[in-house]
Amino acid sequence: MSTPEAVTLPERLRGIVREVAKFGAVGGLGVLVNLGVFNLIRNTTDLQVGRANVIAISVAIICNYIGFRYFTYRDRDKSGRKRELTLFIVFSLIGMVIETGILYTATYGFGWDSPLQSNVFKLFGIGVATLFRFWSYRTWVFRAMPETADRTVVTVAGAPSTVTEDEAEAPVPAA
Protein backbone atom coordinates (compact mmCIF):
# COMPACT_ATOMS: atom_id res chain seq x y z
CA MET A 1 0.00 0.00 0.00
CA SER A 2 1.63 3.24 -1.09
CA THR A 3 0.54 6.75 -0.35
CA PRO A 4 1.02 9.72 -2.67
CA GLU A 5 4.16 11.63 -1.78
CA ALA A 6 3.54 14.82 0.11
CA VAL A 7 4.57 17.94 -1.75
CA THR A 8 7.49 19.52 0.06
CA LEU A 9 7.57 23.20 0.88
CA PRO A 10 10.40 23.97 -1.61
CA GLU A 11 8.47 22.17 -4.39
CA ARG A 12 5.29 24.06 -3.54
CA LEU A 13 7.22 27.34 -3.44
CA ARG A 14 8.80 26.63 -6.84
CA GLY A 15 5.33 25.90 -8.24
CA ILE A 16 3.95 29.17 -6.91
CA VAL A 17 6.96 31.11 -8.22
CA ARG A 18 6.46 29.54 -11.68
CA GLU A 19 2.75 30.38 -11.57
CA VAL A 20 3.44 33.98 -10.53
CA ALA A 21 6.04 34.32 -13.31
CA LYS A 22 3.61 33.02 -15.96
CA PHE A 23 0.80 35.14 -14.54
CA GLY A 24 3.16 38.13 -14.64
CA ALA A 25 4.17 37.48 -18.26
CA VAL A 26 0.57 37.32 -19.44
CA GLY A 27 -0.40 40.19 -17.14
CA GLY A 28 2.53 42.29 -18.39
CA LEU A 29 1.32 41.88 -21.95
CA GLY A 30 -2.18 42.77 -20.74
CA VAL A 31 -0.83 45.92 -19.06
CA LEU A 32 0.88 46.97 -22.29
CA VAL A 33 -2.34 46.40 -24.25
CA ASN A 34 -4.35 48.20 -21.57
CA LEU A 35 -2.05 51.24 -21.45
CA GLY A 36 -1.60 51.32 -25.23
CA VAL A 37 -5.32 51.31 -25.97
CA PHE A 38 -6.00 53.78 -23.15
CA ASN A 39 -3.41 56.28 -24.37
CA LEU A 40 -4.43 55.82 -28.00
CA ILE A 41 -8.02 56.65 -27.11
CA ARG A 42 -7.00 59.55 -24.85
CA ASN A 43 -4.76 61.08 -27.54
CA THR A 44 -7.05 60.60 -30.54
CA THR A 45 -10.56 61.15 -29.18
CA ASP A 46 -12.45 63.36 -26.78
CA LEU A 47 -13.70 60.37 -24.80
CA GLN A 48 -13.78 60.78 -21.03
CA VAL A 49 -11.08 59.09 -18.95
CA GLY A 50 -13.45 56.57 -17.37
CA ARG A 51 -14.89 55.43 -20.69
CA ALA A 52 -11.47 55.22 -22.32
CA ASN A 53 -10.35 53.10 -19.37
CA VAL A 54 -13.29 50.70 -19.67
CA ILE A 55 -12.60 50.17 -23.39
CA ALA A 56 -8.89 49.62 -22.76
CA ILE A 57 -9.53 47.14 -19.95
CA SER A 58 -12.06 45.25 -22.10
CA VAL A 59 -9.49 44.74 -24.86
CA ALA A 60 -6.90 43.64 -22.27
CA ILE A 61 -9.37 41.18 -20.69
CA ILE A 62 -9.76 39.38 -24.01
CA CYS A 63 -5.98 39.15 -24.46
CA ASN A 64 -5.51 38.01 -20.88
CA TYR A 65 -8.09 35.23 -21.06
CA ILE A 66 -6.36 33.73 -24.07
CA GLY A 67 -2.96 33.99 -22.34
CA PHE A 68 -4.14 32.60 -19.03
CA ARG A 69 -6.12 29.70 -20.51
CA TYR A 70 -3.50 28.60 -23.04
CA PHE A 71 -0.25 29.52 -21.23
CA THR A 72 -0.44 30.20 -17.50
CA TYR A 73 -3.17 27.72 -16.55
CA ARG A 74 -3.06 25.33 -19.53
CA ASP A 75 -2.61 22.37 -17.17
CA ARG A 76 -5.69 23.19 -15.10
CA ASP A 77 -9.12 21.63 -15.33
CA LYS A 78 -10.73 22.33 -18.72
CA SER A 79 -14.01 20.51 -18.16
CA GLY A 80 -16.17 23.52 -17.33
CA ARG A 81 -15.25 26.13 -19.94
CA LYS A 82 -18.60 27.94 -19.71
CA ARG A 83 -18.26 28.23 -15.93
CA GLU A 84 -14.60 29.22 -16.27
CA LEU A 85 -15.33 31.97 -18.80
CA THR A 86 -18.28 33.28 -16.76
CA LEU A 87 -16.19 33.49 -13.59
CA PHE A 88 -13.27 35.02 -15.51
CA ILE A 89 -15.54 37.76 -16.84
CA VAL A 90 -17.13 38.39 -13.43
CA PHE A 91 -13.78 38.68 -11.63
CA SER A 92 -12.31 40.71 -14.49
CA LEU A 93 -15.23 43.14 -14.24
CA ILE A 94 -14.67 43.46 -10.49
CA GLY A 95 -11.01 44.22 -11.28
CA MET A 96 -12.23 46.77 -13.84
CA VAL A 97 -14.34 48.48 -11.17
CA ILE A 98 -11.32 48.60 -8.82
CA GLU A 99 -9.01 50.02 -11.49
CA THR A 100 -11.54 52.48 -12.91
CA GLY A 101 -12.60 53.56 -9.42
CA ILE A 102 -9.04 54.54 -8.54
CA LEU A 103 -8.56 56.40 -11.82
CA TYR A 104 -11.97 58.06 -11.55
CA THR A 105 -11.28 59.22 -7.98
CA ALA A 106 -7.91 60.70 -8.98
CA THR A 107 -9.34 62.40 -12.07
CA TYR A 108 -12.68 63.71 -10.82
CA GLY A 109 -12.15 63.68 -7.06
CA PHE A 110 -8.74 65.38 -7.00
CA GLY A 111 -8.58 66.94 -10.46
CA TRP A 112 -5.43 65.02 -11.45
CA ASP A 113 -6.14 64.78 -15.17
CA SER A 114 -2.84 65.34 -16.99
CA PRO A 115 -1.63 62.44 -19.16
CA LEU A 116 1.16 61.70 -16.67
CA GLN A 117 -1.20 61.75 -13.68
CA SER A 118 -3.74 59.58 -15.50
CA ASN A 119 -1.09 57.00 -16.32
CA VAL A 120 0.31 56.99 -12.78
CA PHE A 121 -3.10 56.37 -11.23
CA LYS A 122 -4.01 53.91 -13.96
CA LEU A 123 -0.87 51.91 -13.12
CA PHE A 124 -1.70 52.08 -9.42
CA GLY A 125 -5.22 50.84 -10.18
CA ILE A 126 -3.83 48.05 -12.34
CA GLY A 127 -1.58 46.98 -9.45
CA VAL A 128 -4.39 46.83 -6.92
CA ALA A 129 -6.73 45.07 -9.35
CA THR A 130 -3.99 42.59 -10.29
CA LEU A 131 -3.65 41.40 -6.70
CA PHE A 132 -7.39 40.75 -6.62
CA ARG A 133 -7.37 39.04 -10.03
CA PHE A 134 -4.42 36.76 -9.19
CA TRP A 135 -6.18 35.53 -6.07
CA SER A 136 -9.57 35.10 -7.73
CA TYR A 137 -8.34 33.47 -10.94
CA ARG A 138 -6.22 30.86 -9.19
CA THR A 139 -8.86 30.22 -6.50
CA TRP A 140 -12.09 30.23 -8.49
CA VAL A 141 -11.54 30.38 -12.25
CA PHE A 142 -8.58 28.18 -13.20
CA ARG A 143 -8.84 25.62 -10.42
CA ALA A 144 -6.22 22.93 -10.03
CA MET A 145 -7.32 19.45 -10.99
CA PRO A 146 -8.10 17.36 -7.91
CA GLU A 147 -5.36 15.08 -6.65
CA THR A 148 -6.10 11.43 -7.38
CA ALA A 149 -4.97 8.37 -5.48
CA ASP A 150 -2.51 5.99 -7.10
CA ARG A 151 -4.43 3.82 -9.58
CA THR A 152 -3.79 0.19 -10.47
CA VAL A 153 -5.46 -1.80 -13.24
CA VAL A 154 -6.86 -5.06 -11.93
CA THR A 155 -8.40 -7.70 -14.15
CA VAL A 156 -11.55 -9.26 -12.74
CA ALA A 157 -13.06 -12.06 -14.82
CA GLY A 158 -11.21 -10.80 -17.88
CA ALA A 159 -12.53 -7.21 -17.64
CA PRO A 160 -10.03 -4.48 -16.68
CA SER A 161 -11.09 -2.28 -13.81
CA THR A 162 -9.34 0.79 -12.41
CA VAL A 163 -9.20 0.74 -8.63
CA THR A 164 -7.02 2.29 -5.96
CA GLU A 165 -4.16 0.22 -4.59
CA ASP A 166 -6.02 0.04 -1.27
CA GLU A 167 -9.00 -1.54 -3.00
CA ALA A 168 -6.74 -3.95 -4.93
CA GLU A 169 -5.10 -5.15 -1.69
CA ALA A 170 -8.40 -5.62 0.16
CA PRO A 171 -9.44 -9.24 0.65
CA VAL A 172 -12.01 -10.45 -1.83
CA PRO A 173 -15.06 -12.04 -0.20
CA ALA A 174 -15.68 -15.68 -1.05
CA ALA A 175 -18.55 -16.27 -3.42
mmCIF file of all heavy atoms in Angstrom, residues 33-46 52 56 119:
data_model
loop_
_atom_site.group_PDB
_atom_site.id
_atom_site.type_symbol
_atom_site.label_atom_id
_atom_site.label_comp_id
_atom_site.label_asym_id
_atom_site.label_seq_id
_atom_site.Cartn_x
_atom_site.Cartn_y
_atom_site.Cartn_z
ATOM 1 N N VAL A 33 -1.140 46.219 -23.426
ATOM 2 C CA VAL A 33 -2.337 46.397 -24.252
ATOM 3 C C VAL A 33 -3.253 47.435 -23.611
ATOM 4 O O VAL A 33 -3.738 48.354 -24.284
ATOM 5 C CB VAL A 33 -3.075 45.046 -24.441
ATOM 6 C CG1 VAL A 33 -4.461 45.247 -25.042
ATOM 7 C CG2 VAL A 33 -2.249 44.101 -25.293
ATOM 8 N N ASN A 34 -3.478 47.298 -22.311
ATOM 9 C CA ASN A 34 -4.349 48.204 -21.570
ATOM 10 C C ASN A 34 -3.860 49.655 -21.687
ATOM 11 O O ASN A 34 -4.616 50.549 -22.065
ATOM 12 C CB ASN A 34 -4.384 47.754 -20.105
ATOM 13 C CG ASN A 34 -5.443 48.435 -19.275
ATOM 14 O OD1 ASN A 34 -5.935 49.506 -19.590
ATOM 15 N ND2 ASN A 34 -5.780 47.799 -18.168
ATOM 16 N N LEU A 35 -2.592 49.881 -21.387
ATOM 17 C CA LEU A 35 -2.046 51.244 -21.454
ATOM 18 C C LEU A 35 -2.008 51.769 -22.887
ATOM 19 O O LEU A 35 -2.288 52.954 -23.129
ATOM 20 C CB LEU A 35 -0.641 51.286 -20.850
ATOM 21 C CG LEU A 35 -0.569 51.186 -19.335
ATOM 22 C CD1 LEU A 35 0.875 51.010 -18.881
ATOM 23 C CD2 LEU A 35 -1.195 52.397 -18.672
ATOM 24 N N GLY A 36 -1.660 50.898 -23.829
ATOM 25 C CA GLY A 36 -1.599 51.320 -25.230
ATOM 26 C C GLY A 36 -2.953 51.760 -25.748
ATOM 27 O O GLY A 36 -3.077 52.833 -26.360
ATOM 28 N N VAL A 37 -3.973 50.954 -25.518
ATOM 29 C CA VAL A 37 -5.321 51.307 -25.972
ATOM 30 C C VAL A 37 -5.814 52.553 -25.234
ATOM 31 O O VAL A 37 -6.387 53.460 -25.854
ATOM 32 C CB VAL A 37 -6.292 50.113 -25.792
ATOM 33 C CG1 VAL A 37 -7.732 50.523 -26.059
ATOM 34 C CG2 VAL A 37 -5.890 48.954 -26.695
ATOM 35 N N PHE A 38 -5.576 52.624 -23.936
ATOM 36 C CA PHE A 38 -6.003 53.776 -23.146
ATOM 37 C C PHE A 38 -5.391 55.072 -23.693
ATOM 38 O O PHE A 38 -6.093 56.059 -23.928
ATOM 39 C CB PHE A 38 -5.609 53.585 -21.677
ATOM 40 C CG PHE A 38 -5.912 54.759 -20.793
ATOM 41 C CD1 PHE A 38 -7.212 55.044 -20.404
ATOM 42 C CD2 PHE A 38 -4.893 55.585 -20.333
ATOM 43 C CE1 PHE A 38 -7.495 56.131 -19.582
ATOM 44 C CE2 PHE A 38 -5.158 56.664 -19.516
ATOM 45 C CZ PHE A 38 -6.461 56.944 -19.131
ATOM 46 N N ASN A 39 -4.072 55.075 -23.892
ATOM 47 C CA ASN A 39 -3.406 56.285 -24.372
ATOM 48 C C ASN A 39 -3.762 56.606 -25.817
ATOM 49 O O ASN A 39 -3.861 57.777 -26.184
ATOM 50 C CB ASN A 39 -1.894 56.178 -24.174
ATOM 51 C CG ASN A 39 -1.533 56.393 -22.717
ATOM 52 O OD1 ASN A 39 -1.765 57.462 -22.162
ATOM 53 N ND2 ASN A 39 -1.000 55.373 -22.084
ATOM 54 N N LEU A 40 -3.979 55.584 -26.625
ATOM 55 C CA LEU A 40 -4.427 55.816 -27.999
ATOM 56 C C LEU A 40 -5.779 56.521 -28.010
ATOM 57 O O LEU A 40 -5.973 57.510 -28.719
ATOM 58 C CB LEU A 40 -4.504 54.483 -28.755
ATOM 59 C CG LEU A 40 -4.958 54.569 -30.212
ATOM 60 C CD1 LEU A 40 -3.906 55.293 -31.050
ATOM 61 C CD2 LEU A 40 -5.219 53.178 -30.765
ATOM 62 N N ILE A 41 -6.689 56.032 -27.194
ATOM 63 C CA ILE A 41 -8.020 56.651 -27.114
ATOM 64 C C ILE A 41 -7.922 58.060 -26.549
ATOM 65 O O ILE A 41 -8.542 58.991 -27.066
ATOM 66 C CB ILE A 41 -8.976 55.779 -26.264
ATOM 67 C CG1 ILE A 41 -9.276 54.473 -26.999
ATOM 68 C CG2 ILE A 41 -10.268 56.523 -25.958
ATOM 69 C CD1 ILE A 41 -10.011 53.445 -26.166
ATOM 70 N N ARG A 42 -7.139 58.225 -25.478
ATOM 71 C CA ARG A 42 -7.000 59.555 -24.850
ATOM 72 C C ARG A 42 -6.405 60.576 -25.817
ATOM 73 O O ARG A 42 -6.766 61.749 -25.787
ATOM 74 C CB ARG A 42 -6.102 59.471 -23.606
ATOM 75 C CG ARG A 42 -6.714 58.869 -22.386
ATOM 76 C CD ARG A 42 -7.483 59.844 -21.578
ATOM 77 N NE ARG A 42 -6.684 61.038 -21.288
ATOM 78 C CZ ARG A 42 -6.840 61.805 -20.260
ATOM 79 N NH1 ARG A 42 -7.748 61.531 -19.386
ATOM 80 N NH2 ARG A 42 -6.099 62.862 -20.085
ATOM 81 N N ASN A 43 -5.447 60.144 -26.653
ATOM 82 C CA ASN A 43 -4.755 61.083 -27.543
ATOM 83 C C ASN A 43 -5.463 61.310 -28.868
ATOM 84 O O ASN A 43 -5.124 62.256 -29.581
ATOM 85 C CB ASN A 43 -3.319 60.597 -27.802
ATOM 86 C CG ASN A 43 -2.482 60.649 -26.548
ATOM 87 O OD1 ASN A 43 -2.672 61.493 -25.674
ATOM 88 N ND2 ASN A 43 -1.549 59.715 -26.430
ATOM 89 N N THR A 44 -6.414 60.455 -29.232
ATOM 90 C CA THR A 44 -7.046 60.601 -30.542
ATOM 91 C C THR A 44 -8.532 60.912 -30.489
ATOM 92 O O THR A 44 -9.133 61.164 -31.524
ATOM 93 C CB THR A 44 -6.845 59.319 -31.383
ATOM 94 O OG1 THR A 44 -7.427 58.207 -30.703
ATOM 95 C CG2 THR A 44 -5.368 59.068 -31.655
ATOM 96 N N THR A 45 -9.123 60.870 -29.297
ATOM 97 C CA THR A 45 -10.564 61.151 -29.184
ATOM 98 C C THR A 45 -10.808 62.098 -28.018
ATOM 99 O O THR A 45 -9.914 62.397 -27.233
ATOM 100 C CB THR A 45 -11.378 59.857 -28.942
ATOM 101 O OG1 THR A 45 -11.089 59.357 -27.636
ATOM 102 C CG2 THR A 45 -11.066 58.798 -29.984
ATOM 103 N N ASP A 46 -12.039 62.518 -27.902
ATOM 104 C CA ASP A 46 -12.454 63.359 -26.778
ATOM 105 C C ASP A 46 -13.183 62.542 -25.712
ATOM 106 O O ASP A 46 -13.875 63.099 -24.863
ATOM 107 C CB ASP A 46 -13.372 64.491 -27.274
ATOM 108 C CG ASP A 46 -12.648 65.486 -28.150
ATOM 109 O OD1 ASP A 46 -11.418 65.619 -27.987
ATOM 110 O OD2 ASP A 46 -13.306 66.123 -28.998
ATOM 111 N N ALA A 52 -12.679 55.695 -21.636
ATOM 112 C CA ALA A 52 -11.469 55.216 -22.317
ATOM 113 C C ALA A 52 -10.856 54.057 -21.535
ATOM 114 O O ALA A 52 -10.379 53.078 -22.126
ATOM 115 C CB ALA A 52 -10.462 56.355 -22.465
ATOM 116 N N ALA A 56 -10.247 50.180 -22.810
ATOM 117 C CA ALA A 56 -8.887 49.622 -22.755
ATOM 118 C C ALA A 56 -8.845 48.337 -21.931
ATOM 119 O O ALA A 56 -8.211 47.348 -22.335
ATOM 120 C CB ALA A 56 -7.923 50.651 -22.178
ATOM 121 N N ASN A 119 -1.840 58.243 -16.178
ATOM 122 C CA ASN A 119 -1.091 57.002 -16.315
ATOM 123 C C ASN A 119 -0.563 56.495 -14.978
ATOM 124 O O ASN A 119 -0.539 55.282 -14.733
ATOM 125 C CB ASN A 119 0.044 57.159 -17.327
ATOM 126 C CG ASN A 119 -0.452 57.053 -18.749
ATOM 127 O OD1 ASN A 119 -0.918 56.010 -19.169
ATOM 128 N ND2 ASN A 119 -0.375 58.151 -19.490
#
